C-alpha cells in the first residue's frame, strides 16, 4: 500500500531558496524591533 | 514527533532572541517549502518572492508573540505560503501581461477563463458543503485529509507532522474518503458543478 501511495518527488521539482534570500531574511529578523506601547505593538526596522 | 518537538524548541529559542534558531528553522524547511511553492507557481523568481514573504510573515508573527500553533509549525507555514500563492494568482489575473508577438492578437488579452457568476456561486456552495462534510469526520481522519488535499502534503510529511506511521496515515485517509462517501450517500447530497 505504501509503495502505491507514497509519491517520491522528482528531482526537477526539488527546489531550495537562494542563499541571498535566506541572508535577507536573517538580516531582516535582526533589524526588526517590536515596541509595545499602551497595548499596541509597533514594528520598526533599525539598520 | 521529534520533528514537532524540534520545531517548537527552535521557535522558543528564536522568540528568546537566538537568531541562529531562525536560521535552523529556515534551513530545515527550505526544501519542502520551496518545492511546494515551485510546484504551484512554476517559476524560480516567484518562488523566491513567495518564500521570502512567507518567512517575513513568520518572523513578524513569532516576534509579536502571536504564534500559537502548538507544535504544528510546518502546516502553519505552508498555509501562509498557500495564501500568498493565491494572492499572487489573484494579482496576476487582475494584471494580464501581453508578450509581444509577430502578429498581434487582441483575443490573447481578452481571454477569460474564469467561471461565470452562476458557476462561481455553485462552486462556492460545493466548497462550503464539502467543508461541512469534512468537519463531520473524526478528528484523526479529518487532520490527514486536510493535510493531503488542502495543504498538498505527501504522506511522508503527514506522517512526520502527526507522529503516526505512513501506513496509519494512509489508513486514515482511506477511512476519511469512505466515511465522506457514506455521509454523501446517506444524506442524498449532490456535489456537482
Amino acid at each position: 500500500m505504501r509503495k502505491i501511495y507514497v509519491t517520491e518527488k522528482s528531482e526537477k521539482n526539488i527546489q531550495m531558496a537562494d542563499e541571498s534570500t535566506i541572508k535577507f531574511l536573517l538580516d531582516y529578523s535582526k533589524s526588526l524591533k517590536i515596541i509595545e506601547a499602551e497595548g499596541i505593538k509597533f514594528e520598526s526596522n533599525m539598520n | 514527533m521529534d520533528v514537532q518537538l524540534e520545531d517548537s524548541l527552535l521557535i522558543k529559542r528564536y522568540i528568546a532572541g537566538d537568531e541562529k534558531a531562525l536560521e535552523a528553522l529556515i534551513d530545515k524547511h527550505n526544501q519542502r517549502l520551496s518545492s511546494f511553492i515551485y510546484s504551484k507557481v512554476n517559476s524560480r523568481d516567484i518562488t523566491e518572492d513567495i518564500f521570502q514573504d512567507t518567512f517575513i510573515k513568520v518572523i513578524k508573527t513569532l516576534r509579536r508573540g502571536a504564534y500559537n500553533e502548538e507544535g504544528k509549525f510546518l502546516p502553519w507555514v505552508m498555509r501562509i505560503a498557500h495564501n500568498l500563492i493565491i494572492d499572487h494568482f489573484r494579482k496576476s489575473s487582475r494584471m494580464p501581461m501581453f508578450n509581444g508577438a509577430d502578429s498581434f492578437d487582441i483575443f490573447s488579452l481578452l481571454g477569460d477563463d474564469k467561471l461565470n457568476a452562476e458557476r462561481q456561486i455553485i462552486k462556492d456552495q460545493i466548497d462550503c458543503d464539502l467543508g461541512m462534510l469534512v468537519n463531520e469526520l473524526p478528528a484523526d481522519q479529518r487532520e490527514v485529509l486536510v493535510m493531503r488535499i488542502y495543504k498538498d502534503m505527501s504522506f511522508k510529511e503527514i506522517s512526520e507532522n502527526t507522529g503516526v506511521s505512513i501506513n496509519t496515515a494512509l489508513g486514515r485517509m482511506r477511512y476519511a474518503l469512505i466515511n465522506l462517501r457514506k455521509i454523501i450517500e446517506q444524506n442524498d447530497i449532490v456535489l456537482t458543478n
Side-chain angles (χ1 to χ4, degrees):
Chain A
M1 199 165 172
R2 180 174 169 167
K3 277 183 189 167
I4 299 169
Y5 284 99
V6 177
T7 49
E8 294 296 331
K9 287 171 181 144
S10 66
E11 283 295 318
K12 70 171 185 156
N13 287 331
I14 293 175
Q15 300 289 322
M16 295 283 274
D18 201 66
E19 271 181 34
S20 60
T21 304
I22 294 169
K23 189 176 179 307
F24 168 83
L25 288 167
L26 297 175
D27 290 343
Y28 172 81
S29 170
K30 281 176 196 160
S31 70
L32 180 68
K33 302 285 173 225
I34 308 276
I35 304 153
E36 190 167 356
E38 294 180 16
I40 303 168
K41 287 176 179 172
F42 297 95
E43 288 170 14
S44 67
N45 284 87
M46 298 176 184
N47 289 312
Chain B
M1 208 55 143
D2 284 340
V3 175
Q4 289 178 19
L5 279 176
E6 213 177 303
D7 280 347
S8 59
L9 200 67
L10 289 168
I11 290 163
K12 269 184 200 158
R13 283 185 190 162
Y14 175 60
I15 292 170
D18 180 1
E19 294 288 337
K20 286 272 172 201
L22 175 68
E23 194 173 356
L25 269 175
I26 294 175
D27 279 347
K28 190 173 167 198
H29 299 298
N30 184 348
Q31 185 187 310
R32 197 170 292 172
L33 186 63
S34 297
S35 302
F36 168 72
I37 299 168
Y38 184 79
S39 71
K40 305 292 175 204
V41 299
N42 235 350
S43 154
R44 278 293 309 159
D45 292 339
I46 297 165
T47 299
E48 290 288 336
D49 288 348
I50 294 177
F51 182 92
Q52 185 175 298
D53 290 348
T54 302
F55 265 99
I56 285 176
K57 278 185 188 266
V58 168
I59 289 166
K60 281 185 183 173
T61 308
L62 294 179
R63 293 287 292 278
R64 280 173 165 264
Y67 175 74
N68 163 26
E69 289 279 318
E70 292 166 357
K72 297 190 176 174
F73 178 72
L74 183 63
W76 173 61
V77 176
M78 295 285 234
R79 208 157 54 235
I80 295 173
H82 184 252
N83 290 338
L84 288 171
I85 291 166
I86 291 170
D87 288 348
H88 159 73
F89 282 117
R90 279 191 187 137
K91 268 185 222 158
S92 51
S93 68
R94 272 205 302 269
M95 291 185 288
M97 297 287 287
F98 177 72
N99 295 322
D102 292 341
S103 56
F104 177 78
D105 179 7
I106 189 67
F107 291 106
S108 66
L109 284 176
L110 296 177
D112 182 10
D113 55 358
K114 280 185 193 162
L115 296 173
N116 64 28
E118 184 192 354
R119 284 188 173 274
Q120 187 61 49
I121 291 168
I122 294 170
K123 186 184 174 301
D124 291 345
Q125 186 62 53
I126 290 170
D127 289 346
C128 176
D129 290 348
L130 201 54
M132 286 194 283
L133 293 177
V134 170
N135 281 334
E136 293 296 314
L137 292 171
D140 54 349
Q141 294 170 23
R142 184 172 64 237
E143 186 182 34
V144 172
L145 185 133
V146 168
M147 285 182 173
R148 181 73 190 116
I149 305 294
Y150 292 96
K151 294 178 190 160
D152 202 25
M153 293 165 76
S154 70
F155 280 105
K156 188 167 177 291
E157 289 165 345
I158 294 170
S159 141
E160 285 168 3
N161 278 278
T162 54
V164 298
S165 70
I166 290 179
N167 278 333
T168 304
L170 285 165
R172 286 180 183 174
M173 182 71 190
R174 182 167 174 269
Y175 281 111
L177 295 175
I178 289 170
N179 285 331
L180 268 183
R181 284 195 192 106
K182 252 190 220 167
I183 299 169
I184 290 168
E185 279 170 20
Q186 280 167 3
N187 296 286
D188 289 328
I189 297 167
V190 179
L191 294 171
T192 53
N193 192 355

